[in-house]
Amino acid sequence: MFEAGFLKWRYFAIFFPIHAIIVLFLSAPANKVSTNFSKWLLVVVGSYLITAIPFALAMNFKWITDDGRREFIALVFIGMVRGFAILDIGLLLDLPQTKPYLLRPLNSAVNVPLWFMILRFLIGSRNEFKELFNELYVRNIKDRVSKVVPAKGKVQESEIAKIEARVLETLDPLRKNIENLAGAQMSIADLERERLIIQSFIEEKLRPLSHELWRQQKINPPKLHYIRNLFRVTFVTKSQFGYAIIPSFIFGVVGASTFESFAFAWRHSLLHLVIQVIVFLGYEFLYERVDSFRKYLNIFAVFLCIAIPYALDPFFLANYPSTSANSGAEIVAAGWFLLLSLTFSIAKSQTDFRKDLIASLLIDLEKSGSKENSNADLAAKYAKYLHGDIQSTLSSTQMQLQQASEQDDLKLGTTSIEKLASVLRRDHHDYVIGEAISPISKFQQIIDAWDGIATISIDVEDGEFSDATLLKVAEVIEELVSNAIRHGGATTISAQIGTLHGDMHVTFQDNGAPKKSGKAGMGSSLVKNQALNLQSTSDLDGNRITFQMAQ
Amino acid sequence: MVEDDAFSRVALIDALKLQRLHVVAGVSTAKEALEAQKKFDPSVAICDLDLGVGPTGLDIAQVLRQRNPKIGIVMLTSYRDPRLAGSDLPPLPQGAILLNKRELQSMSTIVMQIIAAATSPLKKRKADWSKSHKFQSLSDTQIAILISIADGVPTSKIAEERGVSEQAIEKTISRICKNLDIPQLKDKNQRIQIVRAFFYGAGREI
């Protein structure tokens, strides 16, 4: 409860309105304040500035700011200085003061540290609370939550549909436009126009969508319901209302002294004190004995601490015929008691009962479910697809169209438009969601990846090849391609896949430098492992490898 | 800028622009890189080593250099030893600068290296892949075997592929462990420790 962090200028600034309200409304009866309002205002500002001096001094001692208890004690002294400042400035300005005079500094010495505690644990700790919440979510909980709450097929499907609909909606106008052009006669002006259309499409449509999908993959912890959590923590953990009893007693004595006699004030507060202590002792006695009703016991005890004194007040007031009931003061006193109880409970929960706090936060996190996670993963996949595959194809088409229009190369323009049309025509779902890549896509991937460095053609004859065998052969071809380019400098490569005696037969040819016989590299060992009847011939025109693969 | 990961590419390009470098093109494939070279004739190419399926950044750098012998090359990689990306990679072009993404401390480091690559593209530089790491003590053969182990290939298969005895492979594995400081402990599977070391070297700790 006493971790360092009470002495902060931020809290001191927030304390100003509280200080002003206390001085203007609780130091003297309202009618006396209104007649000398400007003087009371001077008391507010003057005492606040004087309080800032010891506050600044304490802030400069690392020995104090390193330890919460020392900070708290420093605040007691700061509060005392504030109390004397209010008293002395008030006396200098001839303003009415509560008697005995020492009550003012005593009350201030007790209440200032408590106010700082309230500010710290109710307002200031929100950030700490949120950090802890995020940390829990990001580091530990995300995986757990996704395991605890299984992904629901229906939710997943609807999320896919939603994102896919947006992708299609975005890509469709361009697809229709490109589809109309594919295979049609085009002029150089058409190519230039299409280039501009593609450019503006990337800037205005594609990027905003892919960026939005990127943002969705950011880890977004569920919303932090701060106030709800504070209350939950307060009543799940043991209520610390006992700490509020003595400060409330002092507050009651000082508060009541401002409009009644000191004798009345302290007796009235003593009655409240005795009742609250009895409730507290009863609470302590029962708390360990009633496991299942603890949170109700918390609420009940706090309720009794306020309700019983209030109910008994009429009998007490009967002994003071000249004194009338003051429900406003009773509400302020009850509010102060509640505020302190809440603060002490939260302070205790956030420090000593960290485990309970974490348990409470977990409830929110687990409730959040995996919907966001699966949604974010899916969004990320689509973002990557749009940002990578689609955008790079569009950029490449754009560059080719520019080159075509600059060089009057209509063929280049037509080819690039057709390639773009085929990319926009594809089933985006398969590319993004599909777990396994199809063999044909794999072949295309190899061709596209090396495009520019080498021209590769892979022909698959009609035959009943299983996808598994074709994927295996794709792996072998991938190795052969990289070997032919890296070691032979090949620029033209072809592979034919057909059947021979019931087995898959592959012929691989490249125009690279003839292979040197030597130690087998990893590529060729992969080929050796997968391929049967491997035969290799080399001449000045290049290399030819044939092999079979058992299906 | 040749980088297959769109997010990294866009982020790095923006960062370089903020450093007042004139980035003429950001591309993700070999074809786009070569087209961009033809169009803009850049003085430096920054290539990511691992570009997914197909050519690596090194393959592209080789072709870029063939087409413009004076182009500066800066290679980016997260591998602590790029040999772990594949045992059959082409060599680093002369004068190329290799930057380990994991060791970069600031954008100014990249900028300085880009300027160095632009001003002296062919300067002989020590191409020690990973000066500060123990992977440097592994030979190419050991690296190739390390990759096979990480790929889940059993010792017998590695021996068969390399045309040597299983015992020879076991000895090589022991030397790999020694060089990588992997102790033989009863309660820890050594092969798994080797795989972990591989992924650590590949910049993908597990």
Side-chain angles (χ1 to χ4, degrees):
Chain A
M1 195 152 73
F2 288 104
E3 281 178 9
F6 292 97
L7 291 180
K8 285 186 179 167
W9 282 113
R10 190 159 66 99
Y11 301 153
F12 191 77
I14 302 172
F15 178 64
F16 179 76
I18 297 167
H19 162 79
I21 290 168
I22 291 171
V23 174
L24 292 175
F25 297 101
L26 302 173
S27 298
N31 58 337
K32 290 183 181 172
V33 173
S34 58
T35 50
N36 286 304
F37 188 72
S38 54
K39 286 185 180 178
W40 278 106
L41 215 54
L42 203 62
V43 173
V44 169
V45 177
S47 57
Y48 185 73
L49 291 177
I50 289 170
T51 312
I53 297 168
F55 192 85
L57 277 172
M59 290 274 288
N60 277 306
F61 286 101
K62 204 169 174 300
W63 178 76
I64 296 174
T65 53
D66 275 353
D67 186 294
R69 283 173 201 282
R70 290 183 202 131
E71 282 186 323
F72 203 78
I73 294 167
L75 281 167
V76 170
F77 284 99
I78 292 165
M80 207 180 286
V81 171
R82 171 182 169 269
F84 277 114
I86 296 169
L87 176 71
D88 293 342
I89 298 173
L91 288 173
L92 280 172
L93 297 172
D94 208 18
L95 294 170
Q97 292 296 326
T98 309
K99 288 175 186 169
Y101 288 150
L102 280 180
L103 271 181
R104 170 71 52 210
L106 172 69
N107 183 48
S108 183
V110 172
N111 290 333
V112 165
L114 293 175
W115 272 114
F116 272 77
M117 184 177 256
I118 290 167
L119 292 178
R120 185 197 165 175
F121 285 106
L122 281 185
I123 299 171
S125 67
R126 192 184 188 286
N127 287 341
E128 290 169 30
F129 206 80
K130 195 166 186 176
E131 264 172 38
L132 174 68
F133 191 68
N134 290 353
E135 193 184 322
L136 280 174
Y137 181 73
V138 175
R139 293 207 182 156
N140 309 313
I141 310 302
K142 194 177 164 231
D143 289 343
R144 216 190 116 201
V145 170
S146 58
K147 281 172 198 157
V148 169
V149 187
K152 289 173 189 163
K154 279 187 181 172
V155 173
Q156 179 87 346
E157 274 168 27
S158 72
E159 294 304 331
I160 293 174
K162 216 190 287 174
I163 294 175
E164 276 176 356
R166 289 207 56 200
V167 170
L168 280 178
E169 190 190 331
T170 309
L171 292 179
D172 225 36
L174 182 73
R175 187 188 60 74
K176 281 179 187 159
N177 180 39
I178 297 294
E179 204 69 73
N180 289 336
L181 291 169
Q185 285 276 339
M186 278 188 290
S187 66
I188 293 298
D190 291 335
L191 295 181
E192 183 56 23
R193 189 192 65 231
E194 289 312 311
R195 186 184 73 77
L196 289 171
I197 290 173
I198 292 171
Q199 190 177 351
S200 67
F201 178 80
I202 294 174
E203 299 294 337
E204 289 166 21
K205 303 273 183 190
L206 194 70
R207 276 202 191 131
L209 176 62
S210 58
H211 284 178
E212 189 192 319
L213 293 171
W214 270 120
R215 278 196 294 275
Q216 279 187 32
Q217 72 157 349
K218 190 181 150 195
I219 295 167
N220 286 323
K223 198 182 169 206
L224 170 69
H225 301 284
Y226 184 59
I227 300 296
R228 202 176 71 195
N229 271 307
L230 289 187
F231 278 95
R232 190 192 288 156
V233 163
T234 304
F235 295 117
V236 167
T237 60
K238 188 177 178 185
S239 177
Q240 301 300 310
F241 71 92
Y243 287 108
I245 295 173
I246 298 293
S248 288
F249 167 70
I250 296 171
F251 182 81
V253 174
V254 178
S257 300
T258 57
F259 48 84
E260 289 298 336
S261 67
F262 176 69
F264 168 84
W266 89 264
R267 281 175 191 148
H268 177 255
S269 298
L270 186 66
L271 174 71
H272 286 202
L273 175 75
V274 170
I275 294 164
Q276 286 169 347
V277 167
I278 292 168
V279 173
F280 173 72
L281 292 175
Y283 168 80
E284 283 290 311
F285 177 79
L286 287 174
Y287 190 82
E288 297 304 324
R289 290 170 177 76
V290 284
D291 269 9
S292 51
F293 293 103
R294 281 179 175 176
K295 63 180 175 183
Y296 302 109
L297 197 66
N298 276 326
I299 301 169
F300 191 56
V302 174
F303 171 75
L304 289 182
C305 279
I306 295 165
I308 299 177
Y310 189 71
L312 291 178
D313 267 354
F315 301 105
F316 178 76
L317 285 168
N319 295 320
Y320 292 87
S322 60
T323 306
S324 57
N326 188 332
S327 54
E330 295 284 358
I331 290 168
V332 171
W336 178 239
F337 182 84
L338 279 175
L339 197 60
L340 284 178
S341 300
L342 185 65
T343 305
F344 281 116
S345 297
I346 291 161
K348 198 84 175 164
S349 308
Q350 289 193 17
T351 52
D352 299 5
F353 301 142
R354 212 171 169 83
K355 271 189 193 167
D356 297 308
L357 173 66
I358 288 170
S360 170
L361 292 178
L362 278 173
I363 296 170
D364 262 9
L365 292 170
E366 289 186 6
K367 271 186 187 165
S368 73
S370 62
K371 195 179 162 189
E372 289 91 342
N373 294 340
S374 60
N375 194 6
D377 288 349
L378 190 71
K381 280 186 182 175
Y382 263 101
K384 202 170 176 187
Y385 174 68
L386 292 177
H387 226 92
D389 281 29
I390 300 294
Q391 193 175 314
S392 77
T393 309
L394 289 174
S395 305
S396 161
T397 310
Q398 193 197 342
M399 276 163 62
Q400 284 173 346
L401 289 177
Q402 189 174 5
Q403 199 180 335
S405 63
E406 279 169 7
Q407 295 169 1
D408 281 354
D409 189 346
L410 275 175
K411 195 182 166 198
L412 176 64
T414 317
T415 317
S416 56
I417 288 284
E418 272 166 15
K419 190 181 170 192
L420 177 60
S422 74
V423 169
L424 292 174
R425 221 178 278 145
R426 65 165 61 146
D427 183 344
H428 306 296
H429 175 95
D430 274 359
Y431 277 79
V432 179
I433 312 295
E435 290 290 319
I437 188 164
S438 74
I440 300 303
S441 305
K442 180 76 182 168
F443 290 139
Q444 194 58 47
Q445 216 177 33
I446 297 168
I447 294 168
D448 290 345
W450 289 97
D451 193 12
I453 296 178
T455 307
I456 303 169
S457 64
I458 301 172
D459 295 322
V460 185
E461 280 176 19
D462 289 341
E464 288 189 0
F465 306 126
S466 69
D467 275 5
T469 319
L470 279 171
L471 281 170
K472 262 190 209 169
V473 86
E475 240 179 77
V476 174
I477 289 175
E478 196 180 347
E479 286 294 336
L480 290 174
V481 165
S482 66
N483 282 346
I485 296 170
R486 284 174 183 160
H487 304 299
T491 53
T492 308
I493 295 168
S494 69
Q496 274 95 38
I497 301 164
T499 44
L500 186 71
H501 310 306
D503 282 333
M504 180 190 279
H505 182 77
V506 183
T507 308
F508 182 91
Q509 279 180 293
D510 69 73
N511 68 342
K515 279 195 170 57
K516 290 172 194 167
S517 56
K519 202 175 173 182
M522 291 305 285
S524 50
S525 16
L526 176 78
V527 177
K528 278 178 196 163
N529 283 324
Q530 305 277 2
L532 307 168
N533 300 330
L534 184 75
Q535 287 181 342
S536 171
T537 54
S538 297
D539 56 33
L540 287 175
D541 292 334
N543 305 287
R544 180 188 160 92
I545 298 170
T546 58
F547 59 91
Q548 280 163 269
M549 292 197 74
Q551 289 195 67
Chain B
M1 165 75 63
V2 190
E3 162 67 81
D4 62 325
D5 184 88
F7 185 76
S8 309
R9 185 175 67 236
V10 172
L12 195 49
I13 288 175
D14 283 350
L16 291 176
K17 281 180 179 169
L18 283 174
Q19 300 283 327
R20 301 183 176 208
L21 287 185
H22 180 43
V23 185
V24 292
V27 297
S28 60
T29 63
K31 188 181 184 185
E32 289 165 8
L34 299 174
E35 277 166 3
Q37 187 187 29
K38 197 172 171 187
K39 190 173 172 195
F40 302 110
D41 190 23
S43 34
V44 178
I46 305 161
C47 305
D48 186 36
L49 180 74
D50 188 359
L51 297 171
V53 176
T56 61
L58 279 173
D59 292 297
I60 294 176
Q62 290 285 353
V63 183
L64 293 172
R65 184 52 77 68
Q66 275 170 23
R67 298 185 179 189
N68 174 7
K70 286 188 178 172
I71 189 170
I73 304 285
V74 175
M75 295 294 307
L76 290 175
T77 177
S78 51
Y79 285 87
R80 288 188 167 86
D81 187 327
R83 290 179 298 168
L84 295 170
S87 56
D88 200 26
L89 289 180
L92 196 66
Q94 189 184 324
I97 295 171
L98 184 88
L99 290 178
N100 190 325
K101 289 182 199 172
R102 293 183 163 260
E103 287 165 12
L104 285 174
Q105 299 293 325
S106 65
M107 275 314 293
S108 58
T109 314
I110 305 183
V111 173
M112 295 283 281
Q113 297 302 325
I114 292 171
I115 293 167
T119 48
S120 336
L122 299 175
K123 186 182 174 186
K124 281 192 179 171
R125 294 182 169 92
K126 253 189 150 182
D128 43 0
W129 292 113
S130 182
K131 206 174 172 181
S132 58
H133 204 271
K134 45 196 172 190
F135 283 97
Q136 66 172 326
S137 59
L138 298 183
S139 67
D140 288 352
T141 308
Q142 287 170 336
I143 290 278
I145 291 173
L146 182 60
I147 294 171
S148 296
I149 293 171
D151 220 18
V153 185
T155 309
S156 55
K157 199 81 180 164
I158 301 174
E160 194 187 317
E161 281 173 0
R162 306 194 71 80
V164 294
S165 69
E166 278 189 48
Q167 263 184 331
I169 298 295
E170 289 295 350
K171 273 186 187 169
T172 313
I173 293 174
S174 304
R175 279 195 292 274
I176 292 172
C177 291
K178 199 178 165 193
N179 290 341
L180 296 180
D181 293 335
I182 298 171
Q184 195 160 16
L185 298 171
K186 276 184 185 171
D187 57 342
K188 281 194 175 175
N189 185 320
Q190 202 180 34
R191 224 173 161 88
I192 290 175
Q193 299 308 311
I194 295 173
V195 175
R196 290 190 67 182
F198 167 82
F199 279 103
Y200 170 77
R204 290 172 281 158
E205 284 90 336
I206 52 170

